[in-house]
Amino acid sequence: MLKKWQLISEEDISPSPYFPLYKHQVKLPNGKTIPDFYISKLGDVATILAITTDYKILLVRQYKHGLGDITIELPAGRIPQGENPLVTAKRELLEETGFMAKKYLELGGVCPIPSKDGSIAYGFIALNLTNTHKQHLDITEDIEVLQLSNTEIDEFIKEGKIIGSDAIATITLARIKHPELFVN
Amino acid sequence: MLKKWQLISEEDISPSPYFPLYKHQVKLPNGKTIPDFYISKLGDVATILAITTDYKILLVRQYKHGLGDITIELPAGRIPQGENPLVTAKRELLEETGFMAKKYLELGGVCPIPSKDGSIAYGFIALNLTNTHKQHLDITEDIEVLQLSNTEIDEFIKEGKIIGSDAIATITLARIKHPELFVN
């Protein structure tokens, strides 16, 4: 019978609001105490899988500084404290791609690092798109938009051109829940 | 034309060897300087998708403190500095499941948080398994082993019972590269 650890105390040692970091004292089910287990709380994310009327999927190409390289992923953004993830999804899709969607389907969430961070990436399928042709980017953002078929996405994953775990996991979740939307 | 950021300086502010953390001063392509961009370097991981002779896939059920809950994921472990990822994969599979494999296929890597951490999860398919019936767990580990069919894995992903992004992404990568191994 698996048991959870017991949290004895939590200390906020965040170096910055952009990297929330906590020191935990925890007690394991076997009675042992760990005085210093560190976890981050980077924050939940909304991830958007937007599908055009000709079944192309929108991806974004941009520099990511953690990896130190240019990635191809799904549009996504951190959810501000207390905001409904769908609101974030709509805003991020527009800001990063210039597209708006009339219809959204909720997919549920995936977790990038369960061992060190409990943040969840909530996935949404976006349908009935309109292209406003206007991105609204932050000062740190520079984003190219790609439209790929379902088959091309598999090629990109196979060739290591798409490596973001959340993007791949969200695509997989969407294919399992809504296979009828992934036809070409 | 997308450009990378330029790293001006890096300061090690790790609170612990188990949470390597760095403060970066960076220069953006638009000329703007950010004095304090924080990234972690949690370390690369080896993830193992082990398939039995009757096409069942081994999964591990265990408590993960970042998430604060019990997860079902693929066997996996951090790669010690300088170790060949395949060596880590073999050791982690034995330690977490008690299984050994005669044959390994390399899948390539996925990245859980490109924005804040460049760590890569290197995937391996493990075949021709032998069950030693002996796990070798760390003091912080308590692990149950599950054997699921390919179809059952999709059910678990659909129902939110498997949410680890790296696990789902590695399963997807394996299915794309070796579809002949996922038959039931």
Side-chain angles (χ1 to χ4, degrees), chain A residues 18 21 24 26 41 47 53 57 60-61 70 74 82 91 94 105 111-112 120 131-132 139 159 171:
Chain A
Y18 298 105
L21 186 66
H24 280 187
V26 292
K41 301 184 184 184
T47 305
T53 47
I57 294 160
V60 288
R61 192 166 168 271
I70 289 159
L74 295 176
R91 185 179 58 246
L94 178 62
L105 305 174
C111 180
I120 299 290
N131 191 353
T132 69
I139 185 90
E159 293 166 7
I171 290 165

Side-chain angles (χ1 to χ4, degrees), chain A residues 24 111 113 163 165-166 172, chain B residues 24 65 111 113 163 165-166 172:
Chain A
H24 280 187
C111 180
I113 347 173
I163 64 167
S165 303
D166 282 351
T172 301
Chain B
H24 280 187
H65 186 64
C111 180
I113 346 173
I163 64 167
S165 303
D166 282 351
T172 302

Side-chain angles (χ1 to χ4, degrees), chain A residues 25-70:
Chain A
Q25 188 181 2
V26 292
K27 191 175 176 185
L28 307 193
N30 63 14
K32 186 177 160 62
T33 295
I34 300 179
D36 55 348
F37 192 97
Y38 295 87
I39 68 163
S40 58
K41 301 184 184 184
L42 295 176
D44 294 340
V45 167
T47 305
I48 309 99
L49 195 158
I51 307 177
T52 68
T53 47
D54 55 345
Y55 295 102
K56 291 285 188 353
I57 294 160
L58 303 188
L59 291 119
V60 288
R61 192 166 168 271
Q62 64 188 311
Y63 176 78
K64 289 288 183 81
H65 187 64
L67 183 61
D69 208 346
I70 289 159

Side-chain angles (χ1 to χ4, degrees), chain A residues 62-70 138-143, chain B residues 2-8 24-39 114-116:
Chain A
Q62 64 188 311
Y63 176 78
K64 289 288 183 81
H65 187 64
L67 183 61
D69 208 346
I70 289 159
D138 292 341
I139 185 90
T140 60
E141 291 182 315
D142 185 9
I143 295 179
Chain B
L2 293 177
K3 286 183 179 163
K4 297 184 183 185
W5 297 1
Q6 186 188 336
L7 179 61
I8 295 172
H24 280 187
Q25 187 182 0
V26 292
K27 191 175 177 184
L28 308 193
N30 62 15
K32 186 176 160 62
T33 295
I34 300 179
D36 54 347
F37 192 97
Y38 295 87
I39 68 164
S115 61
K116 299 283 190 180

